[in-house]
């Protein structure tokens, strides 16, 4: 685990005395990027949120974590396009002014969140942030690594490893 691992709101210091941001601070920076619809961050909004709450599950309810887990599994199976399809279907299903949308399918039904909490992931929001700026080069690859790391962490907690 690295010095950004804490999700408290107080900055930590590295051995060199440099101020670092908490995971929560980094998450807010990331949300600012994707809410501005800047790319590549905006395309990953749903996954950004899912990964953060799966890394810090004490910040969310079990029901929300189950949805985040299903989204993470969808990303690992179908990539970002699968996540976009899933979130678009969820938005349509929540729109009461339109006819009922087709069911969200098996993605949300068959993905059961392992018993947690997860073991510490080996790649987290600090790693995605790099230097705290979430640089765009390599962002997609870092998101994939974060998703895979969280998948391993949650599955390891369920198997007792």
């Amino acid at each position: 685990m690295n010095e950004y691992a804490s999700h408290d709101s107080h900055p930590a210091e590295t051995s060199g005395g440099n101020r670092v941001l908490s995971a929560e601070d980094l998450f807010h920076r990331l949300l600012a990027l994707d809410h501005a619809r800047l790319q590549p961050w905006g395309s990953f909004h749903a996954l950004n949120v899912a990964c953060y709450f799966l890394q810090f599950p004490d910040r969310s309810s079990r029901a929300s974590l189950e949805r985040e887990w299903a989204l993470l599994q969808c990303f690992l199976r179908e990539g970002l396009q699968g996540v976009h399809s899933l979130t678009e279907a969820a938005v349509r299903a929540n729109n009461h002014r339109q006819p009922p949308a087709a069911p969200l399918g098996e993605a949300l039904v068959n993905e059961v969140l392992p018993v947690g909490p997860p073991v510490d992931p080996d790649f987290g929001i600090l790693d995605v942030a790099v230097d705290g700026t979430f640089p765009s080069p390599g962002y997609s690859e870092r998101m994939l690594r974060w998703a895979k790391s969280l998948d391993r962490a949650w599955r390891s907690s369920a198997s007792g490893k």
Side-chain angles (χ1 to χ4, degrees):
M1 228 29 211
N2 49 48
E3 63 270 5
Y4 290 94
S6 171
H7 63 266
D8 66 25
S9 59
H10 303 290
E13 287 191 14
T14 63
S15 59
N18 297 326
R19 182 178 183 273
V20 295
L21 298 170
S22 71
E24 183 177 12
D25 291 333
L26 289 170
F27 182 56
H28 289 290
R29 279 189 174 189
L30 180 55
L31 289 178
L33 290 168
D34 67 43
H35 281 255
R37 300 183 187 258
L38 297 172
Q39 297 306 325
W41 312 278
S43 295
F44 284 88
H45 173 72
L47 187 64
N48 292 334
V49 171
C51 287
Y52 178 78
F53 286 112
L54 288 167
Q55 183 173 350
F56 301 105
D58 59 326
R59 299 271 173 151
S60 193
S61 69
R62 178 78 185 182
S64 292
L65 290 171
E66 288 171 356
R67 285 189 300 274
E68 307 301 5
W69 178 254
L71 193 137
L72 181 88
Q73 297 307 307
C74 178
F75 174 70
L76 293 173
R77 272 194 325 270
E78 302 172 30
L80 201 51
Q81 186 54 49
V83 170
H84 292 167
S85 296
L86 185 62
T87 56
E88 288 166 8
V91 168
R92 280 192 312 274
N94 195 37
N95 186 341
H96 303 290
R97 288 183 253 161
Q98 294 190 10
L104 295 181
E106 298 180 11
L108 294 177
V109 175
N110 292 333
E111 296 299 342
V112 177
L113 179 69
V115 175
V119 299
D120 288 336
D122 57 17
F123 195 88
I125 192 166
L126 161 69
D127 305 296
V128 177
V130 182
D131 58 1
T133 66
F134 297 91
S136 61
Y139 185 74
S140 298
E141 293 81 8
R142 292 191 309 276
M143 286 304 298
L144 178 59
R145 285 188 64 193
W146 192 12
K148 287 179 176 180
S149 176
L150 288 166
D151 182 66
R152 285 189 305 274
W154 277 89
R155 292 183 190 281
S156 292
S157 72
S159 65
K161 294 181 182 176

